[in-house]
Amino acid sequence: MRQPLRYPWVNFDVDDVLAPAIAVRVVTETRAEVPAHWHRKGQLVFALGGGITCRVPSGLWMVPPHCGVWIPGGMEHSNIATANARIFFVYIEPGAAELPDRCCTLSISPLLRELIVELSDSVQDDQARDELLIRTLLAELPRMPVQQLHLPISSEPRLRRIAEALAQDPADRSTLAQWANRVALSESSLARLVVKETGLSFGRWRQQLHLIVAIRELASGASVQQVSGDLGYSSVTAFITMFKKALGKPPAKYLGGVAQNGGSAFVA
């Protein structure tokens, strides 16, 4: 059972803060969740350790270490964090920086990472320093490369049903024909529907979910063997082969590159 994510404040509304940007640090001990909500300010969700998954109406967005997800202001979203995660939420006033008007995954450079950490540690007793941190952060953030670590989810009820079932049990290896039977469609009709709504084949769509879950769990400390089993792969070798084919590197080197390069391993 997930615990609610605890913020370091009580009865605090980020939309009441007039600063162009504020940063908040949150540390989890167990899996934790922020239920669906929205706010006027845009939000960057950044994980320095562990992993966090953001759900928005159009998809799931993975936030592995040293990457962030940008959520525009006014967009409903929820966040699920792994145990032992170190998370930073950066709230930005609309129009304060030239940022996308859609949800997206961003690399986080070492400079931006340190700016976020410093701003979250601010005790607001040095206004000039805080203003300099904010100006630099708002200049650096729009320069970050956009990544493709997300699972498109359609509002189409049958696809949403499948997506929710696979998110609950990613090891489910049911065939396209079996899923089609469950949602009262022919196999060919379901195949066309998935492509139309997500832009991916059913196999590629399910593989993208597996990648999201794998990166999240590996980032939180799970072993390759454990993740391989949890995703229903017949062997560790089969899982590593899938991972390497999709992302260009085996899991250890992929995540190691993220830690070393501050997110550049995620550039598509």
Side-chain angles (χ1 to χ4, degrees):
M1 181 178 180
R2 301 188 187 102
Q3 300 297 317
L5 195 62
R6 295 183 178 179
Y7 293 90
W9 62 69
V10 178
N11 298 325
F12 177 72
D13 188 341
V14 296
D15 285 340
D16 291 339
V17 179
L18 298 179
I22 59 173
V24 178
R25 181 198 302 253
V26 178
V27 177
T28 65
E29 295 181 357
T30 61
R31 285 180 178 257
E33 179 175 5
V34 180
H37 66 288
W38 67 273
H39 29 74
R40 178 176 55 80
K41 292 179 185 288
Q43 180 180 9
L44 179 72
V45 182
F46 165 57
L48 191 58
I52 184 166
T53 304
C54 300
R55 182 188 292 272
V56 299
S58 61
L60 289 177
W61 298 82
M62 176 62 205
V63 192
H66 309 287
C67 280
V69 163
W70 168 246
I71 304 170
M75 178 177 290
E76 184 177 85
H77 59 282
S78 60
N79 301 317
I80 301 174
T82 64
N84 302 315
R86 289 183 292 158
I87 305 162
F88 296 82
F89 295 131
V90 183
Y91 299 95
I92 298 176
E93 274 290 321
E98 295 185 4
L99 293 165
D101 59 1
R102 59 185 176 86
C103 193
C104 58
T105 306
L106 301 174
S107 289
I108 301 296
S109 68
L111 172 59
L112 183 57
R113 179 182 68 225
E114 295 306 317
L115 288 168
I116 292 171
V117 173
E118 285 293 317
L119 190 59
S120 72
D121 289 339
S122 170
V123 292
Q124 298 182 334
D125 59 356
D126 190 339
Q127 184 175 354
R129 179 176 181 274
D130 287 352
E131 290 177 353
L132 177 60
L133 288 173
I134 290 171
R135 285 199 305 272
T136 310
L137 184 151
L138 293 176
E140 181 75 0
L141 183 56
R143 300 178 59 248
M144 296 299 99
V146 175
Q147 312 306 331
Q148 301 301 323
L149 287 173
H150 84 286
L151 179 74
I153 296 180
S154 167
S155 59
E156 207 285 329
R158 289 164 294 190
L159 290 192
R160 184 167 288 275
R161 175 184 167 189
I162 295 173
E164 290 175 351
L166 286 173
Q168 289 292 324
D169 182 16
D172 188 333
R173 289 290 176 167
S174 297
T175 64
L176 179 63
Q178 290 170 324
W179 281 114
N181 184 61
R182 294 178 195 176
V183 296
L185 285 174
S186 68
E187 182 176 355
S188 59
S189 294
L190 178 58
R192 288 193 297 269
L193 183 62
V194 173
V195 172
K196 176 185 175 183
E197 295 290 329
T198 71
L200 303 172
S201 68
F202 178 79
R204 183 67 184 85
W205 186 56
R206 178 161 57 184
Q207 182 188 81
Q208 187 73 355
L209 173 66
H210 285 175
L211 290 170
I212 289 173
V213 173
I215 294 171
R216 182 190 67 196
E217 297 305 314
L218 290 167
S220 67
S223 67
V224 172
Q225 290 82 0
Q226 180 180 342
V227 173
S228 172
D230 289 346
L231 293 179
Y233 283 82
S234 58
S235 68
V236 173
T237 300
F239 167 71
I240 293 175
T241 299
M242 179 280 296
F243 195 103
K244 185 176 181 179
K245 183 177 180 180
L247 298 176
K249 296 180 181 180
K253 288 187 177 180
Y254 186 85
L255 292 178
V258 174
Q260 181 177 358
N261 299 321
S264 61
F266 286 89
V267 176

